[in-house]
Amino acid sequence: MRWRREDYDADPVTTARRLIGARLVHDTAEGRTAVRITETEAYGGFWQGRPDDGAHAYKGRTARTEVLFGEPGHAYVYLIYGMYCCFNISCDAEGTAGCVLLRAGEPVEGLDFMQRRRGRAKGTALTCGPGRLCLAMGIDRSLYGADLVTGPLWVEDGAPCEVETSKRRNIDYARYGKDFPWRFTLKGSLWVSR
DNA sequence: CCAGTGATACTCT
DNA sequence: GAGTATCACTGGT
């Protein structure tokens, strides 16, 4: 069952947890690829009274973060380190800039196509890590702002599963946010980033 | 371990 | 408008 608008209308932590075990599907002219989502991180809002200064929208609205302030269920894709893309899903009410970063997945459809997009990468390196997931799924900045409710990229429900919680990766620069336990992984899965 | 890569968001003028 | 620091990462050594 494809997620509808109201499925994205929840705070980032709730949405990030719920996305674990769900499927991410992308249809293109060349074919379909899909993963079972195994690793997510929540961005935006507060934890124990402290604001998430690790969130891109923390300092306010800019051209890049504009989509985060709109209606939930849209793609927030940005270029990182000049070479790679990170894919986030906007969530929470319109006017509230919450999102969920998708960091890893387990291939479930279009494995050959993913392998072609990923060249020599093997095993979990195919889809584990935010940049790798985007490469394997064919997600780039042309999908910035894409509507996941109506577009060629979407989320569907998956089988129920157990979720583990840990600290977010690579945000040491955030004074408060570096300690937030806002990383979620599929329990027991090897398909997670290092 | 560390170089590569360029958009972004600042800071001055 | 120009200059610059920084970055929610990856792949090869």
Side-chain angles (χ1 to χ4, degrees):
Chain A
M1 184 81 177
R2 181 172 179 152
W3 283 26
R4 296 166 299 169
R5 186 74 60 210
E6 56 265 37
D7 292 310
Y8 298 103
D9 190 6
D11 68 86
V13 169
T14 299
T15 309
R17 290 191 74 97
R18 200 174 151 223
L19 279 165
I20 298 297
R23 282 179 169 232
L24 177 71
V25 188
H26 187 200
D27 269 347
T28 67
E30 294 80 34
R32 171 176 293 188
T33 45
V35 294
R36 184 184 194 196
I37 298 166
T38 54
E39 179 177 351
T40 61
E41 284 179 358
Y43 285 89
F46 291 79
W47 182 67
Q48 297 191 344
R50 299 189 185 282
D52 182 11
D53 54 349
H56 284 175
Y58 174 64
K59 287 173 185 164
R61 208 182 268 239
T62 66
R64 181 177 64 157
T65 59
E66 191 61 33
V67 70
L68 297 176
F69 292 85
E71 71 176 358
H74 287 257
Y76 169 51
V77 185
Y78 65 91
L79 190 70
I80 184 74
Y81 296 111
M83 278 187 247
Y84 302 104
C85 288
C86 287
F87 168 53
N88 298 245
I89 297 174
S90 73
C91 64
D92 220 329
E94 187 153 358
T96 303
C99 68
V100 176
L101 171 67
L102 270 62
R103 292 188 56 91
E106 176 180 351
V108 293
E109 202 170 334
L111 185 61
D112 293 347
F113 191 13
M114 288 188 204
Q115 187 67 66
R116 238 177 301 137
R117 285 169 169 157
R118 293 285 292 119
R120 289 203 286 282
K122 288 264 189 288
T124 57
L126 207 61
T127 51
C128 298
R132 292 163 169 174
L133 181 67
C134 284
L135 289 170
M137 290 292 292
I139 296 169
D140 61 26
R141 281 176 301 157
S142 69
L143 286 163
Y144 179 93
D147 189 351
L148 305 190
V149 176
T150 59
L153 176 66
W154 70 89
V155 173
E156 340 178 306
D157 288 321
C161 61
E162 280 192 77
V163 178
E164 286 187 319
T165 304
S166 51
K167 285 187 182 181
R168 294 183 299 185
R169 301 305 195 76
N170 303 323
I171 47 161
D172 291 345
Y173 64 88
R175 186 175 167 196
Y176 307 125
K178 70 183 174 65
D179 294 320
F180 290 11
W182 282 6
R183 174 175 178 253
F184 304 98
T185 52
L186 179 61
K187 188 171 184 180
S189 178
L190 299 174
W191 294 85
V192 296
S193 67
R194 47 187 187 202

